[in-house]
Amino acid sequence: MVSEAVANIKGDQKSFVIYGEPQSGKTEMMIALTAKLLDHGFRIVIVLLNDSVQLLGQNLERFQRSGLSPSPKKFSEVLPAEVKIGDHQWMIFCKKNSQDLQKLLEKLAGVASKRVVIDDEADYATPNSKVNQQKKTKINELTGQLIGAEGTYIGVTATPARLDLNKTHDNQNEHWIDFPPHSNYTGQDKFFPVPAENLPYRLTLLPDAGDNPKYLREALFCFMVNVGYLNTKVNDKEKNYSLLIHTSGNKADHSVDYKQIVKVFEVLRDDSNAKHEAYYKRIWEIANARYLGHADELTKYVITNGDRNNLVVMNSDKEVNSASNRTATDPTAPFTVVIGGNIVSRGVTFNNLLSMFFTRDVKHKLQQDTYIQRARMFGSRMDYLRYFELIIPKSLFLDWQKCFIFHRLSLEARKQNKHSPVWLDGERITAVASASIDKTTVQVDRGEMSFELFDFKATKTAIDGIVAQASPSLQRLKALAQLVGRDSLPEYLISYIESFCPAGDSSIAVHAPRSIAGYTEKTGEVDKATITRSKGFIGDREMEVGKYPNAVHHINVLFNEAGKARVFYRYRGSVRFLKTGVKNDEGV
């Protein structure tokens, strides 16, 4: 992967993306990439980070401990007049803050060395949200100046859709690089599988509305019981763990959550409190239900160690207290409770995170990139995954799961056509913020997706037989996929269809093959050889709405006179397929 990036740069690729899942080890990858760039003689490597003191401190420390030469420097360390950039090699960290970026630009003015800018969490702040106003946001403008005419931009992110649909710094999606996670990683396949059955962790679904203080208290009790079991029955040596509470982006709400947790710990330590006995009884009940035969021992562990707790609120008010924030990311007490909003939603790695209480919902649509980044439970969890607990309202979990279904579909579609990644959004979910979508380069297909051409002459009889079968639609769909191959009917699409059938098997319609011979081959509209049409092929007639009134998933096979065919998938609903294209006069 590092070699691919270097090859891109040496091949004069000026802007590309490295994709890796949330908390999958991208920081270590960036360290290795920086080392390789320095080895190849690049003079200035700049790492951009979100405007967060916590994130700057966490990543800078990792880079400094790696033994890189030259040693990484904060941008402020190179600003003094006594520091000469000259022909020396430099590895510089800078927050995506307009004042910091401006100062760094002034320091580098006149320095001719080619720069490589590595943008961590690249989809945040860097994209130009004023792209459709023919203007630039300040951070987008300054990062562009930092790259300069001769520099190279590498965007590192878990959510590349915004960079692609925004065409941020003219990134070239055909040269994107996939960064595979390490072997101990747990991510979307573990936490949001399709279907969500036999999960390898504990999922506690809450009602969509209810007594939040009660549920928060229960979450704390469950966390303490799980810590007790790990430290008495599983671990050779006692370990510290954390519970992450994410209910709001509002700092006032963080204060409310903090006070509720403080009150619970106060009751647990005060045997004269009227609720003291009831709280410990409830802890015993949870321990007995989860770990039968160990309830007494686990309750005793909680009683004995209850005062070994640490509460940390992570938001902009706490940015100055980096020492406190560090105990949140690397817990120093068995019972560490972290409360926060936006600052905990992106980039920050939580070691030994054991529980997550997540009730932060949105009034309108969920934004895929934002909610994918909020999956802070992803990471190195395999050693204790079976004891991990996610506490979340049911409807929010289902929406979150659909975010990852769409995300997975998009990533798989990109593997098939690197020149034109496809991003999905729907009724409850948007791909990215609409302001960031460059409307002059993005094509929107409402509900239609097609796949690789295949030989229709060789498969016609078999396809006709599959369509004519009386077996369930899903079974026929899988048989069709096996016949034409995964490139022509991908497994990820079948998994998605199987996960969402509101009317059961009648939600799926597998249509008889149709010829496109009757289409007029107008310039730029229909290409019969490739079976493509700018306006799409699948309308109400092709979906046979009268015959399949309950179907939302439609599978059509269209073939040409040359004996080639293509599978088309049409979703009858509000799902859109967005992809970047070539600018045209109509702006689509």
Side-chain angles (χ1 to χ4, degrees):
M1 189 287 309
V2 169
S3 298
E4 287 182 70
V6 173
N8 267 357
I9 298 172
K10 291 197 169 185
D12 205 30
Q13 310 306 329
K14 296 295 186 183
S15 180
F16 57 93
V17 166
I18 298 177
Y19 162 78
E21 287 200 53
Q23 301 197 128
S24 62
K26 293 191 293 298
T27 300
E28 285 71 18
M29 176 274 295
M30 289 190 291
I31 292 171
L33 175 57
T34 299
K36 181 66 73 173
L37 292 171
L38 294 171
D39 286 346
H40 278 266
F42 289 92
R43 292 293 180 185
I44 301 176
V45 178
I46 300 169
V47 175
L48 299 180
L49 299 158
N50 289 348
D51 191 10
S52 162
V53 174
Q54 167 65 23
L55 189 58
L56 174 65
Q58 187 180 69
N59 283 2
L60 179 59
E61 181 179 353
R62 290 184 188 178
F63 269 75
Q64 289 175 333
R65 289 185 182 279
S66 70
L68 282 172
S69 178
S71 181
K73 305 293 183 185
K74 286 190 293 186
F75 89 99
S76 56
E77 295 181 80
V78 304
L79 296 183
E82 294 79 12
V83 178
K84 306 298 181 184
I85 300 296
D87 292 329
H88 302 295
Q89 287 188 310
W90 291 91
M91 205 262 115
I92 305 170
F93 271 74
C94 185
K95 294 195 276 60
K96 287 186 274 190
N97 172 293
S98 58
Q99 293 182 346
D100 293 357
L101 288 168
Q102 187 63 57
K103 291 176 182 177
L104 182 57
L105 278 167
E106 291 170 2
K107 181 67 180 184
L108 296 177
V111 178
S113 297
K114 288 186 178 181
R115 305 164 190 168
V116 178
V117 176
I118 302 174
D119 188 359
D120 190 22
E121 303 295 336
D123 62 299
Y124 186 79
T126 307
N128 181 20
S129 60
K130 295 182 178 180
V131 64
N132 297 306
Q133 304 172 35
Q134 286 72 54
K135 299 178 181 178
K136 290 184 178 182
T137 55
K138 195 64 177 177
I139 300 300
N140 180 264
E141 179 183 8
L142 292 173
T143 52
Q145 292 175 15
L146 191 63
I147 300 163
E150 298 298 322
T152 299
Y153 175 78
I154 304 175
V156 179
T157 180
T159 48
R162 193 178 183 202
L163 289 161
D164 186 43
L165 296 172
N166 185 252
K167 296 297 291 181
T168 303
H169 294 319
D170 295 321
N171 83 86
Q172 300 161 295
N173 52 33
E174 66 270 29
H175 295 289
W176 286 6
I177 297 170
D178 293 323
F179 170 65
H182 54 81
S183 60
N184 203 38
Y185 180 76
T186 54
Q188 56 180 310
D189 293 336
K190 297 290 186 183
F191 282 96
F192 297 102
V194 179
E197 298 174 355
N198 302 316
L199 296 171
Y201 68 98
R202 182 182 292 272
L203 174 65
T204 299
L205 297 175
L206 304 176
D208 294 331
D211 185 357
N212 195 66
K214 174 187 174 182
Y215 298 137
L216 186 56
R217 183 172 66 246
E218 284 280 301
L220 178 62
F221 290 167
C222 293
F223 166 66
M224 297 178 81
V225 167
N226 288 341
V227 172
Y229 187 81
L230 283 166
N231 278 337
T232 59
K233 300 299 179 183
V234 178
N235 299 332
D236 294 330
K237 183 180 179 181
E238 186 180 59
K239 294 182 179 180
N240 302 319
Y241 295 97
S242 61
L243 159 66
L244 178 59
I245 298 170
H246 192 20
T247 63
S248 171
N250 190 324
K251 288 181 284 187
D253 293 333
H254 303 160
S255 178
V256 172
D257 293 337
Y258 176 82
K259 291 175 182 178
Q260 288 175 3
I261 297 297
V262 168
K263 287 180 181 178
V264 174
F265 278 122
E266 286 300 317
V267 171
L268 292 177
R269 72 187 302 181
D270 183 3
D271 56 12
S272 66
N273 189 290
K275 298 178 181 179
H276 179 82
E277 184 176 346
Y279 279 15
Y280 274 112
K281 180 182 178 182
R282 182 59 190 144
I283 289 172
W284 187 93
E285 290 172 347
I286 293 170
N288 191 55
R290 296 190 174 193
Y291 308 106
L292 186 64
H294 302 289
D296 289 346
E297 184 179 2
L298 298 183
T299 305
K300 182 179 179 181
Y301 180 90
V302 174
I303 293 172
T304 304
N305 296 282
D307 278 345
R308 299 172 65 197
N309 63 73
N310 185 31
L311 277 64
V312 182
V313 177
M314 291 181 67
N315 58 33
S316 56
D317 287 342
K318 291 285 183 176
E319 283 279 80
V320 294
N321 195 349
S322 58
S324 177
N325 284 344
R326 181 171 176 179
T327 65
T329 57
D330 290 296
T332 56
F335 305 124
T336 298
V337 180
V338 185
I339 301 165
N342 294 335
I343 191 175
V344 306
S345 297
R346 181 179 286 273
V348 180
T349 298
F350 291 92
N351 297 316
N352 283 10
L353 178 66
L354 184 61
S355 297
M356 185 171 177
F357 183 83
F358 188 89
T359 61
R360 181 172 179 177
D361 204 348
V362 291
K363 294 181 180 179
H364 304 292
K365 291 187 176 184
L366 274 72
Q367 193 171 302
Q368 272 188 63
D369 51 355
T370 299
Y371 269 76
I372 288 168
Q373 292 287 359
R374 285 179 180 158
R376 291 297 98 190
M377 61 282 204
F378 290 9
S380 185
R381 313 290 180 210
M382 288 298 291
D383 291 343
Y384 58 91
L385 181 62
R386 61 181 295 192
Y387 304 103
F388 187 96
E389 184 167 13
L390 173 62
I391 308 100
I392 185 173
K394 182 177 181 179
S395 64
L396 180 53
F397 175 81
L398 293 175
D399 283 341
W400 210 359
Q401 181 192 43
K402 187 166 285 188
C403 272
F404 278 100
I405 291 173
F406 282 3
H407 186 58
R408 192 178 293 117
L409 278 166
S410 298
L411 294 175
E412 290 293 336
R414 182 188 149 262
K415 289 179 182 178
Q416 296 198 11
N417 188 354
K418 290 189 176 183
H419 292 275
S420 188
V422 177
W423 311 102
L424 289 79
D425 65 19
E427 186 176 354
R428 283 276 299 153
I429 299 163
T430 62
V432 300
S434 59
S436 295
I437 298 176
D438 184 348
K439 294 177 181 178
T440 65
T441 64
V442 173
Q443 301 171 356
V444 179
D445 296 326
R446 294 191 176 274
E448 185 172 308
M449 180 184 277
S450 62
F451 308 100
E452 294 296 316
L453 287 168
F454 63 92
D455 188 347
F456 185 65
K457 288 181 180 179
T459 57
K460 180 182 184 304
T461 301
I463 291 175
D464 289 340
I466 290 171
V467 173
Q469 289 176 8
S471 55
S473 298
L474 183 62
Q475 184 175 323
R476 287 183 285 136
L477 178 61
K478 290 181 177 179
L480 180 61
Q482 186 173 4
L483 176 67
V484 302
R486 61 176 298 175
D487 289 341
S488 298
L489 184 48
E491 294 176 8
Y492 68 83
L493 178 63
I494 295 174
S495 296
Y496 167 60
I497 291 173
E498 190 173 7
S499 72
F500 182 64
C501 290
D505 197 63
S506 65
S507 301
I508 307 168
V510 181
H511 300 271
R514 287 176 179 268
S515 170
I516 64 167
Y519 283 92
T520 302
E521 199 161 1
K522 295 180 181 179
T523 304
E525 183 179 333
V526 177
D527 186 333
K528 289 185 178 181
T530 60
I531 315 180
T532 55
R533 186 177 184 226
S534 59
K535 295 181 180 180
F537 283 105
I538 312 303
D540 286 349
R541 181 172 69 91
E542 289 75 20
M543 289 191 288
E544 300 178 281
V545 176
K547 184 178 179 180
Y548 302 103
N550 297 322
V552 294
H553 305 290
H554 293 265
I555 299 295
N556 291 77
V557 176
L558 302 185
F559 61 92
N560 62 18
E561 294 171 299
K564 296 295 182 182
R566 194 187 293 275
V567 174
F568 284 79
Y569 165 69
R570 173 68 188 264
Y571 179 85
R572 190 180 175 207
S574 60
V575 170
R576 303 187 306 165
F577 300 88
L578 298 84
K579 58 184 178 180
T580 54
V582 180
K583 290 188 179 183
N584 60 41
D585 294 335
E586 297 178 357
V588 297

